[in-house]
C-alpha cells in the first residue's frame, strides 16, 4: 500500500460530511461570538463541543482526531469573545471544552483490546503512574480542584496518544487527520496572528488588560507579543511550529499556502526556544528522508525563505523580530534569560520539594487561579519543562524523563519509512527539545508532542520495527492491502 500523507485526502464521503458539520459549528460559534449575545457561549459552547466530539468519536473517528486539534486551537479565542460580552471570568467554563473533548477518547480506548509492544505501552503507563503520584501528593496542599485540573491537563494528551495507538485504523489515515488539522489550523492562527499584531481586536485587548499577563507585551497594536487564537505566545509557537513542519512535509501545492502567514505569526510570537526547536525539527525531517526528499526539502526551504524574507525584514514586523533576535547576541541585557536563571537558582535552594515534589496544582496558573496555596508557590509560573516536572514530581520525575526519552527514541527509529512518519517524528523532537525553556508535556503544548510521537511509533509498528507477534495495527494494514 502506498502510504499517503498530508493533508487529509477527504476520500470518504462520510468524512467530508463530518468536516462540513465542523465548519457549520465553527461558523455558528463565530456568528454568536461576534454578536452582542456572545455571553451565551459561556453556557452553550462546552456542551456543544462535547456532544459533537462524542458523535465524531463513535461514528467518524478520523474526524474526531482533527476536531480535537481545532478545539485546542480555537477555544481560547471563544473564551475571549464570551468574556468581552459578559465580563471577564478568572476561571472560565469555556476552557473546559478542550479537556472534555480530548478525554472522551478514554471511552473508545477502554473498548479496545489491542496488543501493542511492551516497549511502547510501558513508557505511557509509567508517565500516567507518575502523574497519579503527583495528584495524590498535590491534592492535600493545593486542593482537590486544582490538583484534578492540573492532572487532567497533564494526562489528557497522553491518553489521546494512547487512543491513536490502540484504536483501529492505519497510521497513514490517522496522520492525515492530525496533520491536516495542523496545516489548515496554521492558516487560521497565522492570518489571525498577523491581524492581531496590526489591529488588536477589542476582545483581545480586554483580555490582556484584565488577565495582567506581562509576558505578552502591551495591549496595543504593534506592541503586542502575538498569541493569535491561543492563550499565550508560547502555546501559539508550539502549534505554529508543528503546523510549519507538517506543511513543509506535505504533498500538494495548496498545502504550502499557509506556511508564509504561519511563519510570520510564528516569528511574531517571539518565542526563541521555539525558533530553535523548529530548526532542530527540520534537521530531523531532512536527515530521516531519502536523498530525493532531502533535495526537495532544501529547495523548498530556500524558496519559502526568499518569499518570507521581505515580510519579516521590513516595517514593524521586521523591527519587532529584529529587536527580539538582537538579545541572542547580548545575553547580559536579556531579561527573559535572567528571569529563567533566577528560577533555576531559587529552585536549587529548595531541596525538600526536590525530593518529594510539590505535587500537581501547586505551581503555575492552575495554582494561582484554583489552588489553596498562596504567595510564591501559587504565583510561580515555571517556564521550564525540566524544572516543572522536577518541582511537581520530585525524584519520581526520573521515571518520567526516562519514559519520555524512550518515546522519542521510538519515534526516531520509526521515522525512516515515509515522509509522514519523518514529519511526525520531527514535530515530536521539535516540541520536546524546548523542555529547558518551556513545558511541552502539559496542556495544549503536549498536543504537539504526544500524538505526533504516537503516530510516528505507529508507523514503526506497522513496518515491524516493534513487534509482539502480529499486532493489531499490522493486521489492519494487512487487511487493507488484501482489499486493494
Amino acid at each position: 500500500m502506498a502510504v499517503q500523507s498530508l493533508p487529509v485526502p477527504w476520500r470518504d464521503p462520510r468524512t467530508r460530511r463530518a468536516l462540513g458539520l465542523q465548519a457549520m459549528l465553527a461558523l455558528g460559534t463565530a456568528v454568536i461570538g461576534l454578536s452582542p449575545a456572545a455571553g451565551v457561549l459561556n453556557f452553550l459552547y462546552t456542551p456543544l463541543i462535547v456532544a459533537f466530539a462524542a458523535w465524531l468519536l463513535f461514528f467518524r473517528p478520523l474526524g474526531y482526531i482533527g476536531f480535537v486539534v481545532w478545539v485546542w486551537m480555537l477555544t481560547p479565542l471563544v473564551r475571549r469573545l464570551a468574556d468581552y460580552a459578559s465580563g471577564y471570568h478568572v476561571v472560565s467554563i469555556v476552557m473546559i471544552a478542550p479537556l472534555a473533548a480530548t478525554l472522551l477518547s478514554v471511552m473508545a480506548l477502554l473498548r479496545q483490546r489491542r496488543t501493542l509492544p511492551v516497549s511502547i505501552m510501558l513508557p505511557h503507563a509509567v508517565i500516567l503512574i507518575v502523574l497519579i503520584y503527583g495528584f495524590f501528593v498535590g491534592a492535600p496542599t493545593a486542593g482537590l480542584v486544582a490538583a484534578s485540573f492540573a492532572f487532567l491537563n497533564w494526562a489528557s494528551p497522553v491518553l489521546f496518544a494512547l487512543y491513536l495507538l490502540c484504536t483501529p485504523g492505519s497510521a497513514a489515515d490517522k496522520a492525515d487527520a492530525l496533520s491536516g488539522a495542523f496545516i489548515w489550523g496554521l492558516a487560521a492562527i497565522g492570518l489571525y496572528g498577523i491581524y492581531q499584531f496590526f489591529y488588536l481586536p477589542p476582545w483581545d485587548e480586554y483580555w490582556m488588560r484584565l488577565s495582567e499577563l506581562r509576558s505578552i507585551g502591551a495591549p496595543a497594536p504593534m506592541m503586542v507579543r502575538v498569541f493569535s487564537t491561543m492563550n499565550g505566545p508560547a502555546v501559539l509557537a508550539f502549534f505554529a511550529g508543528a503546523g510549519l513542519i507538517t506543511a513543509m512535509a506535505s504533498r500538494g501545492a495548496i498545502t504550502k499556502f499557509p506556511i508564509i502567514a504561519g511563519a510570520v505569526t510564528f516569528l511574531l510570537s517571539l518565542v526563541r526556544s521555539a525558533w530553535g526547536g523548529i530548526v532542530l525539527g527540520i534537521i530531523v525531517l531532512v536527515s530521516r528522508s531519502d536523498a530525493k526528499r532531502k533535495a526537495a526539502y532544501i529547495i523548498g526551504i530556500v524558496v519559502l525563505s526568499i518569499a518570507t524574507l521581505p515580510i519579516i525584514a521590513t516595517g514593524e514586523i521586521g523591527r519587532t523580530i529584529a529587536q527580539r533576535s538582537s538579545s541572542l547576541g547580548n545575553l547580559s541585557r536579556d531579561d527573559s534569560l535572567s528571569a529563567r536563571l533566577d528560577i533555576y537558582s531559587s529552585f536549587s535552594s529548595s531541596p525538600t520539594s526536590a525530593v518529594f515534589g510539590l505535587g500537581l496544582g501547586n505551581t503555575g496558573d492552575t495554582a494561582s487561579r484554583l489552588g489553596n496555596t498562596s504567595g510564591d508557590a501559587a504565583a510561580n509560573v515555571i517556564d521550564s519543562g525540566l524544572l516543572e516536572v522536577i518541582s511537581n514530581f520530585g525524584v519520581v520525575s526520573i521515571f518520567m524523563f526516562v519514559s519520555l526519552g524512550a518515546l522519542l527514541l521510538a519515534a526516531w527509529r520509526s521515522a525512516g519509512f515515509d515522509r509522514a512518519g519523518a514529519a511526525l517524528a520531527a514535530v515530536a523532537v521539535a516540541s520536546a527539545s524546548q523542555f529547558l525553556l518551556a513545558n511541552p508535556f502539559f496542556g495544549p503544548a503536549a498536543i504537539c508532542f504526544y500524538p505526533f510521537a504516537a503516530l510516528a511509533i505507529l508507523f514503526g509498528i506497522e513496518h515491524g520495527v516493534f513487534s509482539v507477534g502480529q499486532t493489531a495495527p499490522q493486521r489492519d494494514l494487512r487487511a487493507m492491502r488484501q482489499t486493494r
Side-chain angles (χ1 to χ4, degrees), residues 162-380:
L162 283 172
Y163 164 80
L164 295 175
L165 277 169
C166 295
T167 51
S170 70
D173 287 342
K174 292 176 181 179
D176 283 344
L178 181 72
S179 302
F182 269 90
I183 290 172
W184 299 112
L186 179 67
I189 62 179
L191 292 172
Y192 187 86
I194 294 172
Y195 178 81
Q196 184 183 68
F197 180 74
F198 286 106
Y199 309 98
L200 184 66
W203 45 85
D204 290 343
E205 179 185 352
Y206 177 78
W207 178 78
M208 289 180 69
R209 293 185 184 280
L210 293 180
S211 64
E212 298 180 348
L213 291 178
R214 299 178 181 177
S215 62
I216 56 178
M222 292 176 284
M223 297 181 67
V224 60
R225 187 176 172 187
V226 168
F227 51 92
S228 189
T229 64
M230 314 300 292
N231 58 3
V235 177
L236 166 64
F238 275 108
F239 274 80
L244 286 168
I245 293 174
T246 51
M248 289 178 195
S250 65
R251 291 186 176 94
I254 192 172
T255 62
K256 302 300 187 287
F257 286 106
I259 291 180
I260 293 180
V264 172
T265 290
F266 174 73
L267 292 172
L268 285 174
S269 70
L270 307 181
V271 181
R272 292 166 301 179
S273 61
W275 297 354
I278 198 172
V279 171
L280 183 58
I282 292 173
I283 292 173
V284 171
L285 177 65
V286 174
S287 66
R288 298 299 283 167
S289 302
D290 57 33
K292 182 179 179 181
R293 288 176 186 154
K294 281 184 173 72
Y297 288 147
I298 293 172
I299 293 171
I301 291 169
V302 171
V303 171
L304 291 170
S305 299
I306 294 173
T308 308
L309 187 61
I311 301 174
I312 64 174
T314 59
E316 287 298 322
I317 291 178
R319 180 191 62 80
T320 302
I321 295 173
Q323 184 177 3
R324 182 65 168 174
S325 301
S326 64
S327 63
L328 293 172
N330 189 359
L331 298 181
S332 63
R333 299 181 60 185
D334 191 338
D335 295 335
S336 177
L337 178 62
S338 299
R340 283 182 169 85
L341 291 175
D342 289 341
I343 292 174
Y344 275 85
S345 176
S346 62
F347 183 83
S348 63
S349 64
S350 180
T352 302
S353 63
V355 174
F356 300 104
L358 295 172
L360 296 177
N362 280 297
T363 59
D365 192 57
T366 302
S368 62
R369 296 176 187 272
L370 298 174
N372 295 332
T373 55
S374 59
D376 293 339
N380 185 22

Side-chain angles (χ1 to χ4, degrees), residues 29-30 33-34 38-39 41 76-86 203:
T29 302
L34 294 172
L41 290 173
L77 175 59
V78 174
R79 179 260 177 95
R80 295 197 292 272
L81 290 169
D83 279 3
Y84 185 63
S86 62
W203 45 85

Side-chain angles (χ1 to χ4, degrees), residues 4-9 11 171-181 420 455:
Q4 296 183 353
S5 61
L6 332 162
V8 178
R11 296 183 298 269
D173 287 342
K174 292 176 181 179
D176 283 344
L178 181 72
S179 302
L455 287 181

Side-chain angles (χ1 to χ4, degrees), residues 99 103 128 130-156 358-373 388 392-393 442:
L99 282 174
L103 289 169
L128 290 173
V130 171
L131 297 180
I132 292 171
Y133 165 82
F135 169 78
F136 282 109
V137 172
T141 53
L144 187 61
V145 174
S148 298
F149 189 73
F151 173 78
L152 294 178
N153 270 282
W154 282 90
S156 58
L358 295 172
L360 296 177
N362 280 297
T363 59
D365 192 57
T366 302
S368 62
R369 296 176 187 272
L370 298 174
N372 295 332
T373 55
E388 189 158 12
N392 280 298
F393 309 113
F442 174 85

